Every structure is written in C-alpha cells, then in structure tokens.
Amino acid sequence: MSTTERSPSPPSASFITPIALAGNLLLTISTTRPQLFSRTYRVSTTALTSASPFFAALLHPSKFAEGRTVAEILANLPSSLGDMDLAQLPRVHVEDVGRISAVNDVGALIGDFLRIMHGEELDKPTMPVANLANLVAVADRFEALDALREWAERRKVVESMERRQVVKAAHTKSARGKAGPETLSEERLRQRVLAGLTLGYSPWVGTYSKQLILGPMTRREREAENEEAALWWDLPSGIEDEIHVRRTYILDTLASIQSYFLKRYMSGERQCRLGYDTSAACDSFQLGEMVRFFGRTGLLRMSSTLLSASDADSDAGGTEYTGSISAIIEQLKQCPGYQIDPNHKYCGLRSKLSPLLSTFASMFKPNYRAGNVGICGDCWEKYRQRYAWGRAKRPVTWAMETANDGERKGYGYDYGETSCLNGHLPARDMFMAAIRDWTDVELAQTGWSTTPFLRV
Ligand SMILES: [Zn+2]
Ligand SMILES: [Zn+2]
C-alpha cells in the first residue's frame, strides 16, 4: 500500500534521513511488524528504479497513480535540485519492510538497504550475519535481491565475514586452549543458508545446510506456521523442503541399519561366528541385548500387531523425529560389545554395527565443495532438476556393488562440466534407495569378504 502526496507543510529536514543528497523523492517507509516503525528518506528515483523492479513499477508514470503524480511534480520542479526546498519534492509512502526479525534499529537497517541500492558506502563496513540476513529479507520484499547480490559479490561481503569468523575462532581456541567448532543455533544456521543462497556464496549453503539437516530441528513447524516469522524460518527457492526431504531419507537409512540386524537375528538363520562351535544360545542372547539397546536409546518402540498402527499410535503416531541425527549416530557408536562368554568375542552388535556406521558417515564427508549431505549451492542453482533429492526418482535397491558400478559409470571422478553434480550422486543413491542391502558392507569391513570397501 502506498500513497503519493504533496506535503501540506514543509517537512522538517531533521526528520529526513538523507540517502542521496540531491535525491528527487521523499520516501516514507513504515511497518507494524515486528515493531512499529516509520521514517522518511531522501532518495533518487533513478537509483531506486534501476535497482528494484518493485520501485520501477511503482514509480512508472503509466502504471500506478504514485508514478503519475511523481512524474508530474518532477516535471515542474526547478532545474537546480540542490537549492530546492524539500517541501517541493514528491513524496511516496510504502508500507511493510519484509519478513525481518525484531532488530534494535529498523531505521538503520532500511537506511543500509537504501544506501546499497544507491551504491553508497554503509555507516559501518562490517555487520553481524543477522543484519545481513535481515537485509536479504528487506531486499526480498522490494524485489531487489539481484542488486543486493551484486553489491555483496563486488564487496566480497560474505567472504570477509567468513574470514573474520575464522580469525575469531582461532582467537577463542588459543584463549581457551582447546579446539572445537563453534556450535550455532538453528536460527543462526538458517540465516547463513539464506545469505549464502541469495547472495551467491555457495560454501555457506553447503556447510550450514548440512548442519541444519543433521542437527536438531525443533522449531521449523512452529515458525513456518507463523507468517510473521523472519524469512529464514521458511527458506526460499525450495531449500526448506529439500532440507526436510534429506532429513527424512537419512533417518530412513538409519532405521534400515537397525532393521537389518533385527531381521537377521529374528530370521532363525545362525548368526554366531564362532567357527565350528556356533551357538543358538549366542544368537538369542545377542537378539535380546540388541532389542534392549535399541529400546533404551529410544530408537525402537515395540507394539502389537493386534491393533492397527493408527489405533495403537494415535497419541505418538505421525510425529517426525526432530532431534539431532548426529546425536543418534553418537548413541549407536556407544553400543556396548556384549558377549555371551569370552569365546564369542566378535558376535556382538558393536563389531557388526561399526562398519555400517562408518559407511553411513563416509557419505557425510566433503566431496567437492559441499559434502554430500549438505546442499551444494552451485548444483542447486545450475542443475536443480537433476540434483534435488526432492525431485529424484528413488533407486529400487542399493548395495555396495551398485554403488561401485555407479562410480564406474562416471558418477564420481570425471572432470567434465557436471563433475560436481556427479560427485553428489552415489550418496544420494544410498540415502534414497527403497531397499538397502547392508550385507556386503558388513562383511567387507569385518574381513569376511575380499570385496573392496566402498570408496565415496
Ligand atoms: Zn557367538
Ligand atoms: Zn555440486
């Protein structure tokens, strides 16, 4: 909503924030969310219309009444703008500043945004990531993301934030005397993904989307329902859904590891590996310990088939796990090495589980720039149709050999145009497969087979 008017009384210069000293327009921007705000800026119509299609349309002489009025007033202004009385300038009022978070100084944020649109220097050369993410939200509202991205790329804004972060981390490390990556809240991770995505800095998309996917994600539903929530609570360009899809497939893969062992031990086929002296008692003991371990860690809930799943689970059913995936992996690594007696040293879950977990974790390792779990910003931009897990067809089965076949087919190590894309596909195939056969992974790693271990 916006209105144009000739000022009835001359606006006092002290209430006007100058962006362009010789600007030909008084722009009042106001909002009610996340807090009440209204301020008038002196701006240049040329700068605004060239940086923002929103303002180009609003100020177009034949599109909106605002544009017509502004054009009429400007046509009758004296030619020397510098000496002109401010009251003669046309005025435009725009409401809503976009999905920003509650900030200390909305006026400074909007001022920075307008300065960037005018190619002017900012008051402070550096800013926290939250401010940058809020600038993205404002630019999104005024359709000026291209201009913001052009500014960020030219000034290497994100790169210099990254450098300062590294220096700060090194400083903290030497002060505390211990290493360890900084743990960022879900909100801060989201701000970085948003900034990386919209400002064209791919490493931030990869690194922080990975942390979002593997970390706890407890606030998404609540924040996404809230229309007033800041832009990063509902990440644009399909990223929000992609993060959700990836979490679901990764959880499905973890669940398949658990059911792989339960099914094997419940099949009645002898699992004990004590050579000639295999023992049914060993298998029963291991099955019992396994159920107890999965139950205790909260990964397994036993329920009867006598009631339908919807009856039995009506209270708990349908809720997706919102905790940390990394924490589940840590819990599984802590699996105790139970044995029925000292002879059955390698019969326990621990020795069988660890090769599967290490294959699983190897898929998290960086391949090219983004890693395979995080979203590669470059491939998202260039090859989204072929790259997105949310659009890919699920492979029917995955086994170690098919993964290696994939590698031979040129999935991994060609250096052609799509080498980055190809590098992500073996991991996607594993996580997305409808059926995963873990047998060879387990046997290869424990030395029961000579099949080379999957290299990804
Ligand atoms: Zn045994
Ligand atoms: Zn890529």
Side-chain angles (χ1 to χ4, degrees):
M1 203 195 317
S2 47
T3 54
T4 319
E5 68 219 21
R6 218 182 258 274
S7 175
S9 58
S12 161
S14 61
F15 291 109
I16 294 169
T17 308
I19 302 295
L21 286 177
N24 57 359
L25 180 72
L26 296 181
L27 173 67
T28 302
I29 297 187
S30 62
T31 188
T32 52
R33 60 172 198 188
Q35 61 233 59
L36 270 178
F37 165 79
S38 182
R39 190 174 289 182
T40 301
Y41 301 86
R42 185 174 183 184
V43 295
S44 142
T45 51
T46 318
L48 282 191
T49 53
S50 65
S52 147
F54 170 88
F55 283 112
L58 182 71
L59 299 173
H60 195 281
S62 59
K63 283 189 180 158
F64 290 98
E66 283 87 351
R68 250 190 320 276
T69 317
V70 169
E72 280 166 19
I73 297 172
L74 287 179
N76 294 316
L77 282 180
S79 56
S80 56
L81 279 176
D83 305 319
M84 189 183 57
D85 184 358
L86 282 179
Q88 293 184 314
L89 288 176
R91 310 182 76 189
V92 168
H93 180 198
V94 180
E95 286 183 356
D96 183 4
V97 298
R99 294 175 62 182
I100 62 170
S101 60
V103 295
N104 289 335
D105 191 347
V106 180
L109 173 69
I110 303 298
D112 277 352
F113 167 71
L114 291 173
R115 274 181 206 101
I116 292 166
M117 296 301 105
H118 284 72
E120 299 288 330
E121 294 295 320
L122 301 187
D123 287 347
K124 292 177 188 160
T126 62
M127 66 176 80
V129 175
N131 290 20
L132 186 66
N134 274 315
L135 274 177
V136 170
V138 175
D140 180 58
R141 183 308 181 223
F142 293 114
E143 299 171 15
L145 282 174
D146 288 345
L148 190 71
R149 179 173 179 154
E150 198 265 323
W151 162 79
E153 284 176 350
R154 186 161 34 86
R155 308 299 294 264
K156 303 230 172 299
V157 174
V158 186
E159 288 89 333
S160 67
M161 281 182 175
E162 180 82 339
R163 256 199 317 278
R164 279 200 310 280
Q165 223 169 19
V166 171
V167 172
K168 198 175 136 201
H171 189 73
T172 322
K173 183 183 159 189
S174 63
R176 289 208 210 120
K178 61 173 185 180
E182 189 189 358
T183 5
L184 296 169
S185 67
E186 183 183 347
E187 176 154 36
R188 287 178 188 280
L189 292 174
R190 285 174 167 278
Q191 289 170 343
R192 283 166 163 78
V193 173
L194 177 69
L197 186 71
T198 49
L199 304 180
Y201 190 66
S202 182
W204 270 22
V205 183
T207 306
Y208 298 113
S209 65
K210 176 179 167 179
Q211 291 183 32
L212 267 179
I213 290 164
L214 296 180
M217 193 170 287
T218 53
R219 297 176 66 193
R220 178 182 180 247
E221 294 306 325
R222 188 161 60 88
E223 296 291 347
E225 282 166 12
N226 177 3
E227 280 185 8
E228 307 224 329
L231 185 60
W232 47 87
W233 287 108
D234 190 13
L235 290 164
S237 308
I239 292 280
E240 189 68 49
D241 286 339
E242 181 74 3
I243 286 174
H244 178 75
V245 164
R246 290 189 181 204
R247 271 183 74 87
T248 307
Y249 282 126
I250 293 168
L251 286 169
D252 185 60
T253 310
L254 267 177
S256 82
I257 291 181
Q258 174 174 284
S259 52
Y260 165 74
F261 286 111
L262 288 170
K263 273 190 196 135
R264 277 223 338 232
Y265 276 81
M266 286 164 77
S267 70
E269 202 177 299
R270 188 63 52 82
Q271 304 298 323
C272 173
R273 285 174 178 174
L274 199 64
Y276 294 115
D277 206 13
T278 60
S279 138
C282 175
D283 282 5
S284 299
F285 172 80
Q286 289 300 347
L287 176 61
E289 289 300 336
M290 196 182 295
V291 169
R292 210 155 66 132
F293 171 71
F294 288 141
R296 200 176 58 225
T297 48
L299 302 181
L300 180 68
R301 186 174 59 225
M302 308 286 270
S303 60
S304 167
T305 54
L306 298 178
L307 285 173
S308 73
S310 58
D311 294 337
D313 294 344
S314 58
D315 288 338
T319 53
E320 185 195 307
Y321 176 76
T322 53
S324 157
I325 294 177
S326 307
I328 304 182
I329 300 167
E330 278 314 303
Q331 272 185 316
L332 289 176
K333 280 189 196 160
Q334 303 306 318
C335 172
Y338 297 113
Q339 49 196 85
I340 191 167
D341 69 45
N343 291 329
H344 295 257
K345 204 172 173 186
Y346 299 107
C347 296
L349 179 61
R350 186 186 174 88
S351 59
K352 297 178 181 184
L353 188 58
S354 67
L356 273 63
L357 286 179
S358 64
T359 296
F360 184 82
S362 74
M363 297 294 185
F364 292 4
K365 281 190 188 142
N367 189 1
Y368 299 95
R369 275 170 289 172
N372 290 312
V373 168
I375 299 166
C376 171
D378 289 338
C379 288
W380 191 255
E381 201 165 289
K382 284 189 220 148
Y383 315 111
R384 192 179 313 172
Q385 281 291 347
R386 282 188 281 162
Y387 172 55
W389 293 23
R391 299 187 188 195
K393 200 164 158 268
R394 292 189 78 171
V396 181
T397 55
W398 176 90
M400 208 163 70
E401 319 88 82
T402 57
N404 284 331
D405 277 353
E407 203 176 287
R408 277 197 293 277
K409 279 176 202 156
Y411 264 8
Y413 303 102
D414 66 329
Y415 295 96
E417 195 210 344
T418 55
S419 63
C420 186
L421 173 67
N422 290 335
H424 306 305
L425 300 185
R428 187 182 78 184
D429 280 353
M430 183 192 87
F431 286 118
M432 285 189 65
I435 300 163
R436 301 171 197 87
D437 182 358
W438 294 104
T439 324
D440 286 346
V441 178
E442 184 200 340
L443 298 183
Q445 190 72 346
T446 45
W448 288 68
S449 153
T450 52
T451 320
F453 185 57
L454 175 63
R455 288 173 292 112
V456 173

